[in-house]
Amino acid sequence: MSLLRLAERGLYCEAGDFYIDPWQAVDRAVITHAHGDHARWGSASYLCSRECEPVLRTRLGPAASIRAVAYGESLDMDGVRVSLHPAGHILGSSQVRVEHRGEVWVASGDYKTDPDPTCTPFELVRCHTFITESTFGLPVYRWTPERQVFDEIRAWWAANRDAGRASVLFGYALGKAQRLLAGLADAPVGPVYTHGAVERLNRDYRAAGIRLVDTIYAGGMPRGHDFAGSLVVAPPSAAGSTWLRRFGNISTGFASGWMRIRGARRRRSLDRGFVLSDHVDWPSLLSAVEGTGAERVWVTHGTREPLVRWLTERGIDASAIASQWKGEDDADPVEVAGEEIPA
Ligand SMILES: [Zn+2]
Ligand SMILES: [Zn+2]
């Protein structure tokens, strides 16, 4: 019997009787990170990393039973050894290492290997079977160095300010928004306003000691306030909404891995696209998967076949597995609206 398998409610470890990121309510849920498609409501108990706990609490509410462990700390779950290791995706994101009778599996959750000041760097964990995401599993996905992306954002902001416009930058409310705000911490280009969904999570990040640029909750400003020249950070669901009216003359931008693709920006009627992702790009995906030394690889999320083919050609037993996890960047702005915490 396989140590982990896909069951009706999600990825299941029968020997330890727990699920990893179940998409339905279960007794024992091990959570890789607090994004909506990985951390769902209703389970009797949750296990996550210590760094994940505050954001998971913000998502699940005060009644949820959450146990937090330090990265690398081993737990015995019915004879199965479970430990969490940094995934470098967002604050508190973990890979789940499961060991039983000498066999080691690692479920990556979402991950990236690029540096990010808002979370602990990805740790390469050796295993026999690796379950990897492949949100951006195509050779066309190669990220621009972060420093260059932030230079582009600052130049766009300065140009808008000179033209008397506000710059509205969309990024997923949990993780991407804070990465943007951390990247701008040393860039005094003017006041930074936030949408309530972003500001709520900023509190958790700041409480965790992550340095973000100073922000002002946009909803707290008096009617008729002049936002010209400022930067506004908001979730993608705010794009095209009436919430934007208060900012007057604006230029819009979106920070996402999807901005790598021609037409993605135009399709969303955005003025600018900035390629900034919290997932591995194609070269990093290949080197991470190879680095685990896994002889078997399961591929979830996004475009799975190219990676499966690439691994199979190298003698690795690879297969695509069906899942109900969707990359948070995967959805259109409208679809992720339900993920946001109301202001
Ligand atoms: Zn995620
Ligand atoms: Zn995901």
Side-chain angles (χ1 to χ4, degrees):
M1 189 187 53
S2 182
L3 183 52
L4 292 176
R5 66 181 165 88
L6 266 193
E8 210 184 309
R9 295 176 191 187
L11 190 59
Y12 182 54
C13 177
E14 191 163 330
D17 191 24
F18 62 86
Y19 286 80
I20 299 173
D21 293 350
W23 42 76
Q24 285 175 38
V26 299
D27 276 349
R28 295 206 282 187
V30 179
I31 298 297
T32 61
H33 65 291
H35 274 148
D37 58 325
H38 294 260
R40 296 186 186 268
W41 285 270
S43 286
S45 72
Y46 296 87
L47 178 74
C48 67
S49 74
R50 242 175 233 157
E51 295 173 37
C52 175
E53 187 182 7
V55 266
L56 187 62
R57 175 70 64 199
T58 294
R59 281 206 61 93
L60 298 178
S65 161
I66 302 174
R67 177 174 179 193
V69 289
Y71 284 133
E73 184 184 333
S74 278
L75 282 182
D76 186 298
M77 294 173 86
D78 298 351
V80 175
R81 221 168 118 161
V82 178
S83 54
L84 305 179
H85 303 266
H89 172 59
I90 62 166
L91 181 63
S93 62
S94 306
Q95 309 172 71
V96 183
R97 183 186 185 277
V98 179
E99 182 182 344
H100 186 58
R101 294 179 182 156
E103 194 186 337
V104 178
W105 288 56
V106 170
S108 74
D110 295 341
Y111 68 102
K112 74 170 176 293
T113 53
D114 279 353
D116 175 345
T118 67
C119 58
T120 309
F122 174 84
E123 178 190 332
L124 195 56
V125 183
R126 303 279 298 179
C127 55
H128 301 109
T129 304
F130 187 48
I131 305 177
T132 182
E133 63 135 322
S134 65
T135 304
F136 293 102
L138 280 172
V140 65
Y141 293 111
R142 276 159 213 269
W143 307 145
T144 312
E146 188 189 78
R147 181 193 302 260
Q148 194 181 319
V149 178
F150 280 102
D151 284 348
E152 290 170 14
I153 292 172
R154 279 192 291 268
W156 166 69
W157 181 1
N160 289 331
R161 183 194 53 205
D162 295 348
R165 283 188 295 260
S167 305
V168 179
L169 183 55
F170 299 112
Y172 195 70
L174 168 56
K176 184 64 59 63
Q178 290 74 32
R179 190 176 171 201
L180 290 167
L181 295 167
L184 295 166
D186 293 311
V189 239
V192 181
Y193 294 93
T194 50
H195 184 277
V198 171
E199 195 55 37
R200 179 94 181 80
L201 290 152
N202 285 354
R203 276 180 237 155
D204 293 329
Y205 271 66
R206 288 192 177 106
I210 314 286
R211 192 167 151 253
L212 309 178
V213 69
D214 289 341
T215 54
I216 307 162
Y217 169 47
M221 301 310 290
R223 206 177 249 279
H225 177 78
D226 183 9
F227 289 93
S230 65
L231 177 75
V232 182
V233 176
S237 57
S241 76
T242 55
W243 183 81
L244 289 177
R245 279 191 199 146
R246 70 191 73 192
F247 301 110
N249 191 8
I250 59 171
S251 174
T252 55
F254 189 20
S256 165
W258 299 113
M259 294 297 110
R260 172 57 76 217
I261 294 301
R262 279 172 75 91
R265 176 183 62 79
R266 268 196 323 273
R267 231 180 14 248
R268 291 175 163 91
S269 304
L270 297 157
D271 299 317
R272 285 294 298 271
F274 301 101
V275 182
L276 189 71
S277 177
D278 287 327
H279 299 263
V280 267
D281 65 359
W282 177 251
S284 307
L285 175 63
L286 302 185
S287 54
V289 173
E290 276 205 309
T292 63
E295 55 222 27
R296 182 166 49 180
V297 176
W298 287 0
V299 181
T300 74
H301 276 66
T303 326
R304 295 160 293 169
E305 287 68 29
L307 178 61
V308 169
R309 211 177 310 127
W310 190 91
L311 292 166
T312 306
E313 281 165 8
R314 275 149 192 85
I316 293 167
D317 174 10
S319 46
I321 61 164
S323 82
Q324 293 182 21
W325 300 305
K326 277 181 150 189
E328 57 285 344
D329 288 338
D330 207 347
D332 269 315
V334 183
E335 294 173 40
V336 298
E339 302 294 322
E340 311 302 344
I341 296 158

